[in-house]
C-alpha cells in the first residue's frame, strides 16, 4: 500500500508539473518560442509569416484530455514577383490533439482542426510562377532512406472551415474561381487503407470563368458528398453525393483515379429534379429573394457522363443532354407570362478530342405573350465550326416589359429579327458561314426611372449579307437610324463591307446631350456633360489607313461642342470646354473659338491639327500648330504622383510627362503660371512638343521680382530620368530671393542668402531632374556670367574670420559694384574666376570654388597700405626699405577653406614671402636709381641714364605695362598654389 501510495504521489506530482508547464511555459518562453519559429520559417519558407506571439496559446483545459493549440491573426504574405500579395490570412486556427497519443502512443491522432475566417488566394502567372511555391529547397542532397518501416501514424477525426473565402487565378489556362462565405466540414480516418471521406460545403457566392468567358456568376453552391477512398489514396468512388447551384441539383455516380501519368474516370451525372424552376434559378438575375414567388411549370431532364482518360495529350469522352418540355414562368408582380418554353440541347464528344465536340440545339421556342421566338443551332465540330443556325423573332417591347422586369426602364416599339447562318467559320482561311440577317426597329422608345427624359422615335433598318462565305464579300448596312431626345434629333447611316479590308461610308448629322445620354447609359467612375452637334461624312478603307494614304480617306464636315464637362475618379481635376468649333478634311482639323478649363487652369486655343486619322487608327504622331492663351495655368495639377516622400510642409510633386506621339507647336501667352511653389507672370514664347521633348524657344516670364528668358529643352523620353538643357537670361533678380528659392544657388553659393542686392546672368545649365521635379545637384554642369551692379554683405562668419586674421579695421562690410563674375559648375563644384570686391576700404580679389558637400576653397587677395600691416611683417619691410613710414599698398593673400558653416582662414606665407622679396627688390632698385642720379647730376650722361632708368619726361606709347598681371599665368599660378596647399595639408 505504501508503494502504491508513493506511486500515486509521484504520478500526481508529474501530472501537476505537466499542467503547470502547459500554463506557464508558453507565457514564460513566448519570445524564445517566437524567435525559434521565425528562424525555422526563414530557413524553409520564402514568404513573410506574420503573427504575434501573444496570439499563440497552448491549453490542456479547454478540451481536456485533448491538448488545444490556438493561433489568432496569422498571415502569410508573398515576396516578389507577388510582393505584398496575401497567400493565406486567418483570423483563428485551432488544433485539438489527443494528449495520451503524444505521451504514450505511436499514433498522433488529431481530434479536430478549425479554421475561422480563412482567406486563401492562389495566383499562377503566365510563365507558370505560382505564389504557393514558397518552400525553400533543402541544401541536403544526400537523402538517407530508412530500411525500417515507421511505427508512427497520423489520424484526424474532423475538420471545419467557418466563413472562409478562396480565390484561384491561373493565367496559364486562363482559369478563375472565387468562393465567398464558405462553410466546410469533413471527417475521415486516414490511418485506414480504405475509408469514407465525408464532406459538406456551402458557398454563398461562386464565380467561375475560363478563357475570358464567365460561366458561373455569384451562384450559391452547396455540395454534400461521401467518397470512398482506396488503393493508397488514388481511387475515389462517389457514393452518396449531391451538388446544388442555386436551386439546380446534380447527383454523381462512378469513380475517379489518379494514375502515375494520367487520370482515369467514369463519372455519370443527372439532375434528380424534374421541375423547370430549378433550371430557371441559373438564369442571371432570376435567383433573388422573390424567386420562391415566381410561378412556373414544365418538365426538366438533365444528364450526362465523363468517361476515359485525362492527360496532357488526351481528354475523356463526354456527353450532356438538357430537355425542357412545355414550361412557363410568370413573375408575381407582372401581368403576363412567358409560355410554351421548349428546348432540346445535346453536347456530345465520343472521342475525347475537343475539336470533335458537337453542339446541337435542336429546338428552342418560347412565346413572349403573342410574340414567338424560335431558334436552332448545329455546330458539328470546334475546328472549323461547321454550322447551321437560324433565329426568328418579332417582339413587342411593351409586352416584353409586362413579362420580364426591366429594372426601372420603360420600353416601347416593335423589334424584328430574322437571321440565318450556314457554312464554315475558319479565321485562318478567312471563311465565314453564309449569312442573311435582317433587323428592324420601329417606334422605339426608352425611358429610365432615374432620368425622366426619354429617347423617342428610335428607328433603324439593318442588314448583314454574305452569300459566298468569303469575308471580303460581306455587306453590313444601317439605314435610317434616328432618335430624338428632348427635341434634338440625331441621325446616321452606315455601310460597312469587306471584312478583309474594312471599307466604310458613314454619315452623321444631329445633336446629342452627353449628360442625358450617360444617365440613360451610365459610365462607371465618370461624369460627362455637354452638347455636341455634328455634320460629318467619312469614307475609306482600312488598308489606306495602314498604308498612311490619308488623302484617300475623304472626311469632311463640321462639329461643335458647348458646355462640356468631364470628371473621373482617376483624375484629380475636372475638364470643361465652354465652346469649341471644328471643321474637318482628311488632312487636318481647324479649331476655332475653343476655350475651357482644366482644373483651376483656363485656356483658349485656335489653330490646326493634322494627321489625326493616323493618330486615331494607327497610334501615329498627331501634329498641330496652335495659339494657346491662358490667364492661369496651374501645372501642379498635371504632375504625376511622386514615389518619394513629401518634404515637410510641401506638396510632393511628380514629373510632368511629354507624350511621345504628339508634335505640337504652342505659341503661348499666359498671364500666370503655377509650378510647384513658384508663380510666373506674363509668360510668352514658343513651346514645341515633340517625341517626349519640350523645346522652349524665346520663352520669357517674370518671377520673384526679376525677369527671365529661357531657351532649351526639357526631355522626358525616359520618364524615370528626365533631363534639361537650358540657356538662362535673368535680370534684376534679388540675390537673397534666388538663394532662398533655387536649390542650385542655395547649395553651391549659400553665402548669397546673406547678400543684399540684385543680379543678372547669362548662364547655360544642364542636368537631370528628380521625380520631385527638382534638379539632381550632382548631375549639374553649367557656365556663364553673373552681373552685379550694386550689392553688400554684412554679419557673415566668413567676413568675421577674415577680419580676425588680418586685424584690419573697417573690414566687416563687403561691397560689390559693377562686378562681372565668370562661373562654372562641374563635378559637384561651383568655380569662379577672379573678381573684385571691397572689404571696407580695401580692394580685394576673390577666386575659388564651393562644393555640394558645403566645402569652400577660395583665395582672397587684399591690397593693404603697408603701414596697416601686422608688426612683424611691417618691421621686416621697414628694415629692408630703411623706412619707418611706408605708405605703399602691399597685397595680402588669404586662404579660405573648411565648410561654409565653419570656415578656416590662413595667411598664405609662401606668397607673402615672395611679395616681401619683390617689395625689397623694388625698394633697392629705387634706392640705386636715386644714388646713380645723384652721381651723374649736372653731367652729359644724365639724359642717357634717365632714359635707361625710365626717368625721362617722354613715354613710349608702344611699350607694354609690365605691372599688369598676365591672366593666363595667374590662372596657372593659382592652380599650382592649390596643388601645393593640398600636398602640404
Amino acid at each position: 500500500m505504501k508503494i502504491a501510495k508513493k506511486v500515486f504521489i509521484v504520478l500526481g506530482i508529474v501530472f501537476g508539473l505537466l499542467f503547470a508547464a502547459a500554463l506557464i511555459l508558453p507565457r514564460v518562453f513566448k519570445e524564445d518560442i517566437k524567435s525559434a519559429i521565425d528562424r525555422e520559417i526563414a530557413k524553409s519558407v520564402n514568404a513573410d509569416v506574420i503573427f504575434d506571439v501573444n496570439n499563440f496559446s497552448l491549453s490542456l483545459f479547454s478540451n481536456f484530455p485533448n491538448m488545444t493549440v490556438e493561433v489568432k491573426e496569422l498571415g502569410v504574405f508573398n515576396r516578389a514577383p507577388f510582393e505584398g500579395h496575401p497567400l493565406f490570412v486567418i483570423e483563428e486556427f485551432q488544433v485539438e490533439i489527443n494528449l495520451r497519443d503524444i505521451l504514450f502512443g505511436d499514433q498522433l491522432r488529431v481530434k479536430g482542426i478549425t479554421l475561422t475566417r480563412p482567406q486563401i488566394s492562389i495566383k499562377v502567372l503566365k510563365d507558370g510562377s505560382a505564389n504557393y511555391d514558397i518552400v525553400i529547397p533543402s541544401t541536403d542532397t544526400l537523402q538517407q532512406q530508412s530500411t525500417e518501416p515507421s511505427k508512427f501514424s497520423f489520424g484526424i477525426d474532423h475538420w471545419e472551415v467557418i466563413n472562409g473565402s478562396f480565390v484561384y487565378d491561373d493565367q496559364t489556362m486562363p482559369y478563375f474561381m472565387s468562393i465567398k462565405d464558405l462553410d466546410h466540414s469533413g471527417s475521415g480516418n486516414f490511418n485506414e487503407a480504405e475509408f469514407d471521406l465525408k464532406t459538406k460545403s456551402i458557398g454563398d457566392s461562386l464565380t467561375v470563368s475560363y478563357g475570358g468567358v464567365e460561366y458561373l456568376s455569384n451562384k450559391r453552391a452547396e455540395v454534400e458528398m461521401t467518397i470512398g477512398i482506396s488503393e493508397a489514396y488514388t481511387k475515389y468512388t462517389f457514393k452518396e453525393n449531391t451538388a446544388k447551384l442555386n436551386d439546380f441539383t446534380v447527383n454523381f455516380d462512378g469513380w475517379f483515379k489518379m494514375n502515375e501519368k494520367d487520370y482515369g474516370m467514369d463519372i455519370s451525372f443527372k439532375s434528380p429534379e424534374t421541375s423547370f424552376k430549378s433550371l430557371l434559378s441559373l438564369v442571371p438575375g432570376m435567383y433573388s429573394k422573390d424567386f420562391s414567388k415566381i410561378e412556373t411549370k414544365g418538365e426538366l431532364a438533365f444528364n450526362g457522363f465523363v468517361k476515359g482518360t485525362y492527360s496532357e495529350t488526351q481528354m475523356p469522352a463526354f456527353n450532356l443532354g438538357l430537355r425542357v418540355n412545355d414550361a412557363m414562368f410568370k413573375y408575381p408582380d407582372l401581368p403576363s407570362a412567358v409560355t410554351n418554353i421548349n428546348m432540346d440541347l445535346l453536347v456530345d464528344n465520343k472521342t475525347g478530342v475537343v475539336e470533335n465536340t458537337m453542339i446541337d440545339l435542336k429546338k428552342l421556342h418560347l412565346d413572349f405573350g403573342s410574340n414567338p421566338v424560335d431558334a436552332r443551332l448545329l455546330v458539328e465540330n470546334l475546328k472549323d465550326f461547321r454550322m447551321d443556325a437560324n433565329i426568328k423573332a418579332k417582339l413587342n417591347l411593351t409586352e416584353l416589359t409586362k413579362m420580364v422586369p426591366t429594372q426601372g426602364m420603360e420600353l416601347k416599339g416593335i423589334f424584328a429579327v430574322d437571321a440565318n447562318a450556314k457554312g464554315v467559320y475558319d479565321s485562318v482561311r478567312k471563311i465565314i458561314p453564309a449569312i442573311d440577317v435582317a433587323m428592324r426597329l420601329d417606334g422605339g422608345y426608352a425611358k429610365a426611372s432615374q432620368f425622366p427624359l426619354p429617347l423617342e422615335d428610335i428607328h433603324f433598318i439593318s442588314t448583314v449579307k454574305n452569300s459566298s462565305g468569303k469575308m471580303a464579300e460581306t455587306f453590313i448596312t444601317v439605314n435610317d437610324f434616328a432618335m430624338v431626345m428632348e427635341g434634338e434629333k440625331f441621325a446616321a447611316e452606315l455601310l460597312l463591307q469587306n471584312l478583309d479590308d474594312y471599307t466604310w461610308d458613314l454619315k452623321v448629322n444631329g445633336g446629342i446631350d452627353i449628360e442625358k445620354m450617360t444617365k440613360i447609359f451610365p459610365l462607371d467612375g465618370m461624369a460627362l456633360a455637354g452638347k455636341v452637334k455634328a455634320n460629318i461624312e467619312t469614307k475609306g478603307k482600312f488598308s489606306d489607313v495602314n498604308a498612311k494614304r490619308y488623302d484617300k480617306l475623304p472626311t469632311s464636315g463640321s462639329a461643335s461642342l458647348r458646355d462640356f464637362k468631364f470628371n473621373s475618379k482617376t483624375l484629380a481635376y475636372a475638364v470643361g470646354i465652354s465652346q469649341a468649333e471644328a471643321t474637318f478634311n482628311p488632312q487636318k482639323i481647324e479649331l476655332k473659338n475653343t476655350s475651357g478649363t482644366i482644373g483651376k487652369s483656363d485656356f483658349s486655343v485656335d489653330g490646326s491639327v493634322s494627321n489625326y486619322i493616323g493618330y486615331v487608327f494607327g497610334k501615329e504622331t498627331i501634329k498641330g500648330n496652335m495659339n494657346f492663351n491662358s490667364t492661369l495655368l496651374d501645372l501642379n495639377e498635371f504632375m504625376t504622383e511622386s514615389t518619394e516622400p513629401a518634404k515637410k510642409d510641401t506638396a510632393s510633386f511628380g514629373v510632368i510627362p511629354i507624350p511621345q506621339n504628339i508634335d505640337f507647336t504652342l505659341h503661348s501667352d499666359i498671364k500666370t503660371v503655377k509650378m510647384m511653389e513658384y508663380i510666373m507672370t506674363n509668360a510668352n514664347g514658343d513651346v514645341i512638343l515633340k517625341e517626349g521633348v519640350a523645346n522652349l524657344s524665346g520663352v520669357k516670364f517674370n518671377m520673384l521680382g526679376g525677369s527671365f528668358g529661357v531657351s532649351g529643352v526639357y526631355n522626358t523620353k525616359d520618364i524615370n530620368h528626365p533631363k534639361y538643357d537650358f540657356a538662362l537670361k535673368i535680370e534684376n533678380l534679388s540675390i537673397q530671393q534666388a538663394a532662398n528659392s533655387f536649390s542650385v544657388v542655395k547649395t553651391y553659393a549659400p553665402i548669397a542668402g546673406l547678400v543684399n542686392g540684385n543680379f543678372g546672368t547669362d548662364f547655360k545649365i544642364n542636368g537631370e531632374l528628380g521625380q520631385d521635379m527638382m534638379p539632381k545637384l550632382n548631375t549639374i554642369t553649367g557656365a556663364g556670367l553673373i552681373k552685379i551692379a550694386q550689392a553688400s554683405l554684412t554679419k557673415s562668419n566668413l567676413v568675421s574670420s577674415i577680419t580676425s586674421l588680418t586685424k584690419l579695421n573697417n573690414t566687416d562690410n563687403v561691397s560689390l559694384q559693377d562686378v562681372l563674375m565668370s562661373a562654372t559648375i562641374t563635378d559637384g563644384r561651383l568655380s569662379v574666376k577672379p573678381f573684385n570686391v571691397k572689404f571696407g576700404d580695401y580692394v580685394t580679389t576673390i577666386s575659388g570654388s564651393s562644393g555640394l558637400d558645403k566645402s569652400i576653397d577660395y583665395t582672397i587677395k587684399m591690397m593693404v597700405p603697408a603701414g596697416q600691416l601686422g608688426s612683424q611683417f611691417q618691421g621686416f619691410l621697414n628694415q629692408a626699405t630703411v623706412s619707418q613710414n611706408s605708405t605703399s599698398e602691399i597685397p595680402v593673400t588669404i586662404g579660405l577653406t573648411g565648410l561654409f558653416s565653419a570656415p578656416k582662414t590662413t595667411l598664405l606665407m609662401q606668397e607673402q614671402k615672395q611679395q616681401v622679396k619683390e617689395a625689397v627688390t623694388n625698394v633697392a632698385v629705387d634706392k640705386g636709381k636715386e644714388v646713380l642720379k645723384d652721381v651723374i647730376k649736372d653731367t652729359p650722361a644724365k639724359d642717357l641714364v634717365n632714359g635707361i632708368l625710365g626717368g625721362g619726361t617722354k613715354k613710349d606709347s608702344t611699350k607694354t605695362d609690365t605691372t599688369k598681371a598676365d591672366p593666363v599665368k595667374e590662372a596657372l599660378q593659382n592652380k599650382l598654389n592649390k596643388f601645393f596647399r593640398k600636398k602640404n595639408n
Side-chain angles (χ1 to χ4, degrees):
M1 291 294 293
K2 291 182 178 180
I3 295 174
K5 184 176 181 180
K6 289 180 179 180
V7 170
F8 284 121
I9 291 172
V10 171
L11 289 175
I13 293 172
V14 169
F15 281 109
L17 290 173
L18 287 174
F19 281 118
L23 289 172
I24 297 172
L25 289 179
R27 292 169 173 79
V28 173
F29 297 104
K30 63 182 180 181
E31 293 299 333
D32 294 333
I33 293 172
K34 177 71 162 58
S35 298
I37 293 174
D38 287 342
R39 285 195 301 270
E40 291 304 315
I41 288 173
K43 291 178 184 177
S44 57
V45 177
N46 182 29
D48 295 313
V49 182
I50 309 300
F51 71 96
D52 189 338
V53 71
N54 293 317
N55 289 333
F56 174 83
S57 65
L58 186 152
S59 173
L60 292 175
F61 306 112
S62 58
N63 291 293
F64 186 80
N66 298 324
M67 180 174 65
T68 301
V69 180
E70 182 181 78
V71 180
K72 294 182 179 179
E73 298 177 1
L74 171 71
V76 180
F77 293 87
N78 285 114
R79 295 171 184 167
F82 306 94
E83 190 169 1
H85 180 80
L87 171 64
F88 177 75
V89 177
I90 188 168
E91 184 175 301
E92 185 176 318
F93 174 59
Q94 282 188 351
V95 179
E96 300 173 31
I97 305 173
N98 190 300
L99 183 61
R100 183 185 62 185
D101 294 339
I102 296 175
L103 296 176
F104 308 111
D106 59 2
Q107 176 181 343
L108 176 62
R109 186 152 201 85
V110 177
K111 301 294 290 183
I113 295 176
T114 303
L115 288 75
T116 303
R117 292 189 180 87
Q119 298 179 40
I120 303 171
S121 181
I122 295 176
K123 290 182 70 71
V124 182
L125 302 181
K126 290 183 178 179
D127 61 5
S129 302
N131 71 327
Y132 57 79
D133 188 11
I134 61 174
V135 177
I136 299 174
S138 174
T139 58
D140 184 8
T141 59
L142 298 175
Q143 300 284 339
Q144 293 189 357
Q145 299 294 331
S146 175
T147 58
E148 297 183 4
S150 173
K151 295 180 180 180
F152 185 81
S153 62
F154 173 82
I156 184 171
D157 285 353
H158 67 273
W159 60 88
E160 185 177 14
V161 175
I162 302 172
N163 196 15
S165 68
F166 176 79
V167 173
Y168 182 81
D169 184 2
D170 189 339
Q171 297 178 16
T172 62
M173 302 179 73
Y175 175 83
F176 176 86
M177 181 176 70
S178 169
I179 305 175
K180 299 177 182 179
D181 299 325
L182 172 66
D183 290 327
H184 168 81
S185 61
S187 63
N189 189 350
F190 288 89
N191 284 320
E192 300 292 334
E194 295 186 9
F195 64 97
D196 287 346
L197 176 67
K198 297 182 178 181
T199 66
K200 182 176 181 179
S201 305
I202 300 175
D204 282 347
S205 177
L206 171 64
T207 298
V208 176
S209 65
Y210 177 75
V213 178
E214 197 167 272
Y215 291 95
L216 296 175
S217 301
N218 299 319
K219 305 300 183 187
R220 187 180 190 275
E222 183 175 344
V223 180
E224 188 169 0
M225 288 189 172
T226 298
I227 302 175
I229 299 179
S230 60
E231 299 185 22
Y233 308 114
T234 64
K235 187 172 182 180
Y236 302 86
T237 303
F238 296 99
K239 295 184 176 180
E240 300 174 6
N241 54 82
T242 302
K244 292 182 67 175
L245 279 178
N246 290 348
D247 265 19
F248 187 72
T249 305
V250 178
N251 290 341
F252 295 89
D253 284 310
W255 54 268
F256 177 88
K257 191 173 187 303
M258 294 188 297
N259 301 316
E260 185 176 348
K261 295 183 179 180
D262 54 38
Y263 303 96
M265 63 194 74
D266 186 354
I267 303 171
S268 61
F269 54 86
K270 66 178 181 178
S271 173
E273 296 284 347
T274 59
S275 168
F276 170 70
K277 189 173 184 179
S278 64
L279 180 64
L280 198 64
S281 73
L282 299 181
V283 178
M286 296 288 285
Y287 193 71
S288 63
K289 62 181 181 180
D290 293 327
F291 180 73
S292 60
K293 300 178 182 179
I294 295 178
E295 179 186 346
T296 68
K297 72 174 184 178
E299 295 181 353
L300 164 73
F302 174 79
N303 55 66
F305 66 82
V306 180
K307 185 176 183 178
T309 301
Y310 174 81
S311 67
E312 292 183 357
T313 58
Q314 188 176 359
M315 287 278 292
F318 57 90
N319 176 281
L320 181 150
L322 175 63
R323 292 184 182 86
V324 176
N325 293 322
D326 298 326
M328 59 81 65
F329 70 88
K330 178 181 176 297
Y331 278 89
D333 297 328
L334 295 177
S336 301
V338 178
T339 60
N340 296 326
I341 303 172
N342 290 273
M343 181 172 65
D344 189 353
L345 171 67
L346 174 66
V347 179
D348 188 42
N349 184 300
K350 294 181 172 62
T351 64
V353 178
V354 174
E355 292 178 343
N356 294 336
T357 301
M358 179 190 70
I359 302 172
D360 189 3
L361 178 62
K362 300 176 182 179
K363 177 175 63 175
L364 174 63
H365 175 87
L366 61 159
D367 290 334
F368 289 96
S370 60
N371 301 292
V373 175
D374 287 283
R376 182 178 59 82
L377 169 67
L378 172 64
V379 179
E380 295 183 11
N381 62 67
L382 302 183
K383 182 178 180 180
D384 62 7
F385 296 90
R386 191 174 301 274
M387 66 178 67
D388 185 357
N390 63 66
I391 182 172
K392 187 172 184 179
K394 186 174 183 180
L395 300 178
N396 185 322
L397 299 183
T398 303
E399 288 187 14
L400 183 64
T401 60
K402 296 178 181 180
M403 291 173 267
V404 180
T406 51
Q407 298 180 348
M409 288 285 291
E410 182 182 352
L411 299 174
K412 296 179 183 179
I414 304 296
F415 174 74
V417 58
D418 188 352
N420 295 276
K422 186 174 184 178
V424 172
Y425 173 77
D426 190 329
S427 60
V428 176
R429 293 187 293 162
K430 296 184 178 180
I431 298 174
I432 62 174
I435 300 173
D436 187 359
V437 179
M439 291 183 290
R440 184 184 187 109
L441 176 64
D442 292 303
Y445 177 97
K447 178 181 176 183
S449 59
Q450 67 271 27
F451 185 67
L453 295 176
L455 294 176
E456 299 177 282
D457 195 19
I458 309 170
H459 55 83
F460 69 86
I461 300 172
S462 180
T463 62
V464 180
K465 291 184 179 292
N466 183 303
S467 57
S468 67
K470 297 179 182 179
M471 296 181 71
E473 296 180 7
T474 303
F475 298 84
I476 302 172
T477 64
V478 179
N479 295 322
D480 194 27
F481 174 85
M483 65 179 182
V484 177
M485 184 169 63
E486 205 179 14
E488 192 79 52
K489 185 176 180 180
F490 178 83
E493 289 191 357
L494 170 67
L495 170 62
L496 178 64
Q497 54 186 322
N498 191 355
L499 300 185
D500 277 342
D501 183 9
Y502 295 107
T503 304
W504 69 88
D505 185 347
L506 173 66
K507 299 177 182 178
V508 176
N509 188 8
I512 294 177
D513 190 313
I514 300 174
E515 182 178 17
K516 294 172 182 176
M517 288 296 295
T518 57
K519 288 187 177 180
I520 297 173
F521 306 104
L523 299 173
D524 185 33
M526 289 188 290
L528 288 171
K531 294 183 178 181
V532 178
K533 286 189 177 181
N535 187 358
I536 301 172
E537 295 185 13
T538 176
K539 299 179 181 180
K541 294 182 179 181
F542 197 68
S543 58
D544 289 330
V545 174
N546 287 333
K548 303 179 182 180
R549 296 187 291 263
Y550 302 133
D551 58 319
K552 295 186 176 182
L553 303 172
T555 300
S556 61
S558 62
S560 66
L561 180 63
R562 293 286 186 277
D563 301 323
F564 175 79
K565 295 178 182 179
F566 172 72
N567 288 280
S568 171
K569 292 179 180 179
T570 60
L571 284 180
Y573 48 86
V575 177
I577 298 176
S578 56
Q579 62 177 0
E581 296 179 6
T583 57
F584 298 83
N585 62 46
Q587 286 73 39
K588 64 181 179 179
I589 300 174
E590 291 281 353
L591 290 177
K592 302 176 182 178
N593 303 321
T594 300
S595 60
T597 60
I598 303 177
K600 302 172 186 175
S601 307
D602 65 273
F603 66 90
S604 63
V605 175
D606 62 78
S608 63
V609 176
S610 60
N611 200 38
Y612 67 94
I613 299 177
Y615 176 77
V616 172
F617 289 103
K619 297 182 180 179
E620 295 183 17
T621 298
I622 190 170
K623 300 180 181 180
N625 194 312
M626 315 289 287
N627 296 313
F628 182 88
N629 299 280
S630 174
T631 59
L632 171 64
L633 181 60
D634 190 345
L635 295 178
N636 293 334
E637 293 187 292
F638 312 136
M639 292 185 178
T640 59
E641 291 185 5
S642 174
T643 56
E644 299 180 1
K647 298 179 180 179
K648 184 173 65 176
D649 298 331
T650 65
S652 181
F653 299 103
V655 175
I656 302 175
I658 306 297
Q660 295 274 353
N661 59 339
I662 68 169
D663 182 356
F664 268 47
T665 298
L666 300 177
H667 308 287
S668 305
D669 186 356
I670 307 170
K671 300 304 180 185
T672 303
V673 180
K674 291 184 178 180
M675 180 175 174
M676 295 184 292
E677 66 268 31
Y678 305 121
I679 296 178
M680 293 162 266
T681 59
N682 299 322
N684 58 76
D686 291 346
V687 180
I688 303 169
L689 309 176
K690 186 175 183 179
E691 296 178 352
V693 176
N695 196 318
L696 282 64
S697 176
V699 174
K700 298 179 181 180
F701 57 89
N702 298 324
M703 185 173 69
L704 301 173
S707 60
F708 290 71
V710 182
S711 296
V713 298
Y714 165 63
N715 187 334
T716 63
K717 285 185 176 180
D718 184 351
I719 195 67
N720 295 317
H721 301 280
K723 294 179 174 60
Y724 61 93
D725 189 351
F726 291 142
L728 303 175
K729 185 177 180 63
I730 303 174
E731 294 181 359
N732 201 34
L733 179 64
S734 165
I735 299 174
Q736 286 190 11
Q737 281 270 42
N740 293 332
S741 302
F742 303 125
S743 58
V744 176
V745 180
K746 187 185 302 183
T747 302
Y748 282 108
I751 196 172
L754 305 173
V755 176
N756 293 313
N758 295 345
F759 78 100
T761 184
D762 285 309
F763 210 86
K764 292 184 177 181
I765 188 169
N766 64 74
E768 183 177 327
L769 294 172
Q771 292 300 305
D772 57 356
M773 286 294 287
M774 300 301 290
K776 288 187 176 180
L777 299 176
N778 60 334
T779 67
I780 294 176
T781 58
L785 297 176
I786 301 171
K787 297 169 285 187
I788 302 175
Q790 186 80 33
S792 63
L793 169 66
T794 57
K795 296 180 181 179
S796 168
N797 56 351
L798 297 179
V799 176
S800 61
S801 63
I802 295 171
T803 302
S804 63
L805 176 69
T806 61
K807 307 299 183 183
L808 295 172
N809 296 325
N810 192 25
T811 59
D812 57 351
N813 180 49
V814 179
S815 60
L816 298 87
Q817 187 165 0
D818 296 328
V819 171
L820 185 63
M821 187 187 310
S822 177
T824 59
I825 300 176
T826 183
D827 297 330
R829 298 198 72 81
L830 168 69
S831 302
V832 292
K833 293 182 178 180
F835 64 94
N836 291 336
V837 301
K838 292 189 74 174
F839 273 72
D841 297 328
Y842 310 112
V843 176
T844 304
T845 301
I846 299 175
S847 63
S849 67
S850 57
L852 273 175
D853 55 0
K854 305 297 183 182
S855 65
I856 54 177
D857 187 0
Y858 284 96
T859 300
I860 300 173
K861 292 185 178 180
M862 303 178 68
M863 300 301 296
V864 181
Q868 298 184 26
L869 292 171
S871 58
Q872 183 178 359
F873 186 37
Q874 184 67 58
F876 178 44
L877 184 60
N878 289 344
Q879 183 180 3
T881 59
V882 197
S883 172
Q884 301 297 324
N885 297 303
S886 176
T887 59
S888 60
E889 288 190 336
I890 302 299
V892 176
T893 304
I894 298 170
L896 185 62
T897 58
L899 300 175
F900 174 77
S901 58
K904 299 177 182 178
T905 53
T906 56
L907 189 65
L908 301 183
M909 296 304 298
Q910 190 66 32
E911 294 188 13
Q912 295 304 137
K913 290 178 181 179
Q914 180 64 29
Q915 292 165 8
V916 170
K917 180 179 178 181
E918 291 176 358
V920 171
T921 301
N922 291 336
V923 170
V925 171
D926 290 342
K927 290 293 184 181
K929 289 180 181 180
E930 292 175 5
V931 171
L932 182 59
K933 289 179 181 179
D934 289 340
V935 172
I936 63 173
K937 188 178 181 180
D938 298 327
T939 67
K942 178 180 70 171
D943 293 337
L944 177 61
V945 172
N946 284 341
I948 294 172
L949 298 178
T953 57
K954 294 182 180 180
K955 295 184 179 180
D956 188 352
S957 61
T958 63
K959 292 186 178 182
T960 59
D961 185 357
T962 58
T963 62
K964 291 184 178 180
D966 186 337
V968 177
K969 289 183 178 180
E970 186 175 271
L972 292 174
Q973 185 63 49
N974 287 336
K975 184 175 292 187
L976 187 63
N977 292 339
K978 292 177 184 178
F979 170 78
F980 281 116
R981 285 201 298 273
K982 291 179 180 178
K983 187 175 181 180
N984 292 335
N985 291 338

